[in-house]
Amino acid sequence: MEHYLGMDLGGTDVKMGVVDSNGTIVVKQSYPTPAGLAGDKLADYFAECMRKTAAAAGLRLETLAAAGIGAPGLVNTTNGILDFVTNIPSLNDYPLGPQMAKRLNIPVAVDNDVNAMVLAELYYGAARSYRNIVALTVGTGVGGGLIFNGQLYRGSSFGAGEIGHMSIETNGPLCNCGNYGCLERYIGREAIVARFDALYRHKKLPSSIDRHLEQGAITPRAIAMAAAEGDELSLFVMDEIGRYLGNGLATIVNILNPELIVIGGGIANAGELLLEPARREMFRRAAVMPARMVKVVQAKFLNDAGILGAASLAREGSDRTD
Amino acid sequence: MEHYLGMDLGGTDVKMGVVDSNGTIVVKQSYPTPAGLAGDKLADYFAECMRKTAAAAGLRLETLAAAGIGAPGLVNTTNGILDFVTNIPSLNDYPLGPQMAKRLNIPVAVDNDVNAMVLAELYYGAARSYRNIVALTVGTGVGGGLIFNGQLYRGSSFGAGEIGHMSIETNGPLCNCGNYGCLERYIGREAIVARFDALYRHKKLPSSIDRHLEQGAITPRAIAMAAAEGDELSLFVMDEIGRYLGNGLATIVNILNPELIVIGGGIANAGELLLEPARREMFRRAAVMPARMVKVVQAKFLNDAGILGAASLAREGSDRTD
């Protein structure tokens, strides 16, 4: 059986795992993202962490089929250069792909973490056997991954999938991206938390979210967890988010007519509490035939999406060069 | 040189042409769409018209490489059945593809007319040498055709490309499709004419559109023509439409990161008067990198898009079965 190493690059942690070709995580580890290192030194560090992770799985790194790296931001998958990395500016414009390949002596694929996530769902998760798939991750931002005719579609400059930046209100609130009324401004972390917080402070509905707070803070995950226990305010907010999401899904369905929409990210922990209102709104808005045929489901991998996704990039890269 | 027959199926007219493999229209003809015929009788009629058209080009129909039919509506390109035909309800659910092939003894491809249009631009027009293309036709409705990695993308149930039904205002005006605030409600024929008419009646700006009226009526084409002559009100409306269009394009660019966007349909006759404000708004809203790389251009074929598109379907069908 082949093994892949997956590395999920984050601003504070680097998560790594060895994944076999059935999608089983053999071992996983987490390392801090060192703030003081940049460029080649940082690549050396990643290589060292990868060796340790492979060793923890009882394998020599050189015996792995390939490594994959998922990064938040814009990645040129042709030359392996990180064009723009959210939260790790020291890696901007760095050729991480070729530099890691030189250090590891195995093929290395680098890509955006949402592309990684949709591949994990395609290979091992909720999207197996589907060919036209749209994945959305609803977290701090709202990202998207697109599979058309069974192939990852990256767009013409690796920028496809920015579903969070469809404008759903022409003159809506300004978004960080420069657009107005972006979907992300309604269902992204900041919007959800601000909305919950306002309703909570004004005691619009009863809530016992306190036990789910994360380090004292309201988070989308906390709202999802409270909603699952029947918390009234959380359920109300979840329904609101679900309907905004459904509005975005209707546009996706009308334009792309996918078979499957997979929803991941922190808020996806709410499962049907989010998906049910989203589907209802999507169906109310989208054209009947594509709306009837599309399935809207929760991602199979929520906590392990990063590692499995990165390992899936390794597999996809190997398939492409075959 | 190979020749293709293209047939553009409309509610009042059926336009036909013989097109060579360079995209030159050798001959074109127009026949009325008979209101009294349906099913097999209508197919007989189409076959007879096609024979006449081929004869007018000095060719026997059987010597043509293939025929293509572009229809407004939803077409199952696998079995050649018209699932839903706008304006010709008698053809709904009719297997026009196989029935025509039986009558003509050459391969027959049937598809949506906007898919036909984008193929014509890909093979012979503004989209040659591009691989990721979004085409929009802005006419009575607002349709879209999608080319990803050089291939027409039809979606999972032949419904992809309904770009006119992206909602740009969550609680905007109700659309015929059941959604709210669809792009089509802002830039489709009805919206443009109503907007122009209101401003005209209230004398908001001077206008000398009269000489361009079509049978006494304000049409998008008339507004485009008047704008080209510097008509103040027409220019104002064209700028407004352009900005709404640009808003829609920004979402397309953010989600699909195409190399090229081709704009066709009646209003596209305005050329830069429409495209310039559209580009400006698109650039103001879309992510910088995909916005910088995309070109937004007028379709090469405006009046002959139907025939050339249908002939392109014939060519694409032949390529697929090769």
Side-chain angles (χ1 to χ4, degrees):
Chain A
M1 185 172 317
E2 297 202 315
H3 288 83
Y4 302 96
L5 195 138
M7 167 174 137
D8 181 30
L9 186 52
T12 52
D13 294 309
V14 182
K15 292 186 183 117
M16 293 192 187
V18 172
V19 177
D20 71 23
S21 40
N22 292 329
T24 304
I25 300 179
V26 180
V27 69
K28 60 178 167 178
Q29 301 197 327
S30 182
Y31 296 91
T33 306
L37 298 180
D40 289 350
K41 296 284 182 202
L42 197 47
D44 289 341
Y45 173 80
F46 292 149
E48 186 51 34
C49 297
M50 285 182 172
R51 280 187 204 289
K52 285 186 203 162
T53 305
L59 295 164
R60 278 195 313 119
L61 190 63
E62 289 72 13
T63 66
L64 302 181
I69 301 174
L74 192 61
V75 181
N76 182 327
T77 57
T78 304
N79 60 21
I81 292 179
L82 303 177
D83 285 335
F84 177 78
V85 194
T86 317
N87 300 326
I88 319 174
S90 67
L91 281 173
N92 285 352
D93 298 320
Y94 186 71
L96 187 64
Q99 286 295 338
M100 292 305 295
K102 204 161 77 177
R103 284 163 176 75
L104 306 178
N105 285 311
I106 56 173
V108 177
V110 189
D111 204 339
N112 173 275
D113 53 3
V114 189
N115 286 344
M117 174 269 196
V118 69
L119 283 176
E121 295 295 329
L122 176 71
Y123 291 149
Y124 311 117
R128 267 179 301 183
S129 83
Y130 291 91
R131 291 181 55 77
N132 296 316
I133 305 152
V134 174
L136 262 92
T137 55
V138 186
T140 308
V142 176
L146 308 172
I147 306 272
F148 298 137
N149 298 321
Q151 301 288 318
L152 190 61
Y153 175 76
R154 295 180 167 91
S156 301
S157 55
F158 312 101
E162 290 294 345
I163 293 172
H165 299 288
M166 70 162 73
S167 170
I168 62 167
E169 296 283 6
T170 297
N171 300 303
L174 186 63
C175 182
N176 280 332
C177 76
N179 201 350
Y180 297 86
C182 288
L183 181 60
E184 186 168 303
R185 292 286 282 130
Y186 298 85
I187 68 171
R189 182 193 187 95
E190 200 184 314
I192 296 172
V193 170
R195 180 73 179 132
F196 186 95
D197 189 54
L199 295 170
Y200 185 75
R201 278 184 292 110
H202 293 95
K203 303 194 197 306
K204 293 282 185 181
L205 283 169
S207 177
S208 53
I209 197 172
D210 293 20
R211 82 189 89 161
H212 297 291
L213 298 184
E214 299 183 21
Q215 299 172 317
I218 295 166
T219 63
R221 189 184 305 259
I223 300 171
M225 296 302 177
E229 290 178 1
D231 183 69
E232 267 192 69
L233 179 53
S234 299
L235 283 168
F236 179 86
V237 169
M238 204 55 70
D239 187 71
E240 237 181 29
I241 301 162
R243 282 184 286 128
Y244 275 116
L245 174 60
N247 181 10
L249 296 186
T251 289
I252 293 294
V253 163
N254 283 346
I255 298 181
L256 296 175
N257 184 199
E259 294 164 277
L260 186 76
I261 295 175
V262 186
I263 312 287
I267 198 78
N269 284 290
E272 287 301 306
L273 297 175
L274 176 74
L275 298 186
E276 198 278 323
R279 275 190 214 104
R280 193 162 16 91
E281 186 72 9
M282 184 270 285
F283 200 83
R284 201 166 70 93
R285 290 177 173 268
V288 174
M289 293 185 63
R292 273 199 190 136
M293 83 101 59
V294 72
K295 289 192 181 68
V296 180
V297 301
Q298 188 185 33
K300 180 174 177 188
F301 308 117
L302 293 174
N303 295 325
D304 290 327
I307 288 171
L308 275 168
S312 301
L313 291 174
R315 174 171 156 186
E316 199 247 4
S318 313
D319 288 353
R320 273 191 297 158
T321 48
D322 277 355
Chain B
M1 186 172 314
E2 298 203 313
H3 288 84
Y4 301 95
L5 194 138
M7 169 174 137
D8 181 31
L9 185 53
T12 54
D13 294 310
V14 182
K15 292 185 183 121
M16 293 193 187
V18 173
V19 177
D20 72 20
S21 39
N22 293 328
T24 304
I25 299 179
V26 179
V27 71
K28 60 177 166 179
Q29 301 196 328
S30 181
Y31 296 91
T33 306
L37 298 179
D40 290 349
K41 297 284 184 205
L42 197 48
D44 290 341
Y45 172 81
F46 292 149
E48 186 52 32
C49 298
M50 285 182 173
R51 280 186 204 290
K52 286 185 203 163
T53 304
L59 296 164
R60 278 194 313 116
L61 189 64
E62 288 74 13
T63 66
L64 302 180
I69 301 174
L74 192 62
V75 181
N76 182 327
T77 58
T78 304
N79 60 20
I81 293 179
L82 303 177
D83 285 335
F84 176 79
V85 195
T86 318
N87 300 325
I88 318 172
S90 67
L91 281 174
N92 285 352
D93 298 320
Y94 185 71
L96 187 63
Q99 285 295 338
M100 293 305 296
K102 203 160 76 177
R103 284 161 174 78
L104 307 178
N105 285 310
I106 56 173
V108 176
V110 189
D111 204 341
N112 174 273
D113 53 3
V114 189
N115 286 345
M117 174 271 195
V118 70
L119 283 176
E121 296 295 329
L122 176 70
Y123 290 150
Y124 311 117
R128 268 178 301 182
S129 82
Y130 290 92
R131 291 182 55 78
N132 297 317
I133 305 152
V134 175
L136 261 93
T137 57
V138 186
T140 308
V142 177
L146 307 172
I147 306 271
F148 299 136
N149 298 322
Q151 301 287 317
L152 190 61
Y153 175 77
R154 295 180 166 91
S156 301
S157 56
F158 312 100
E162 290 294 345
I163 293 172
H165 300 288
M166 70 164 74
S167 172
I168 63 167
E169 296 283 5
T170 298
N171 299 304
L174 187 62
C175 183
N176 279 331
C177 76
N179 202 349
Y180 297 86
C182 288
L183 182 61
E184 187 168 302
R185 292 287 282 130
Y186 297 86
I187 68 170
R189 182 193 188 96
E190 200 184 313
I192 296 172
V193 170
R195 180 73 179 133
F196 185 96
D197 190 54
L199 296 170
Y200 185 75
R201 280 185 290 109
H202 292 96
K203 302 192 197 310
K204 293 282 185 180
L205 283 169
S207 178
S208 53
I209 197 171
D210 292 21
R211 81 189 88 163
H212 297 291
L213 297 183
E214 300 183 20
Q215 300 173 317
I218 295 166
T219 64
R221 190 185 304 260
I223 300 171
M225 295 301 177
E229 291 178 0
D231 183 70
E232 267 191 69
L233 180 53
S234 299
L235 283 169
F236 179 85
V237 169
M238 203 55 69
D239 187 71
E240 238 182 29
I241 301 162
R243 281 183 287 128
Y244 276 117
L245 173 60
N247 181 10
L249 296 186
T251 289
I252 292 294
V253 163
N254 283 346
I255 298 180
L256 297 174
N257 184 200
E259 294 164 274
L260 187 76
I261 295 176
V262 185
I263 313 287
I267 198 78
N269 285 290
E272 286 302 306
L273 297 175
L274 176 74
L275 297 186
E276 197 278 323
R279 274 190 216 103
R280 194 162 14 93
E281 187 72 9
M282 183 269 285
F283 199 83
R284 200 166 69 92
R285 289 175 175 271
V288 174
M289 293 187 65
R292 274 199 190 136
M293 83 101 57
V294 72
K295 288 191 181 69
V296 180
V297 301
Q298 188 185 32
K300 180 174 178 187
F301 309 117
L302 294 174
N303 295 325
D304 290 326
I307 289 171
L308 275 169
S312 301
L313 290 175
R315 175 172 156 184
E316 198 247 3
S318 312
D319 289 353
R320 272 190 297 158
T321 48
D322 276 355

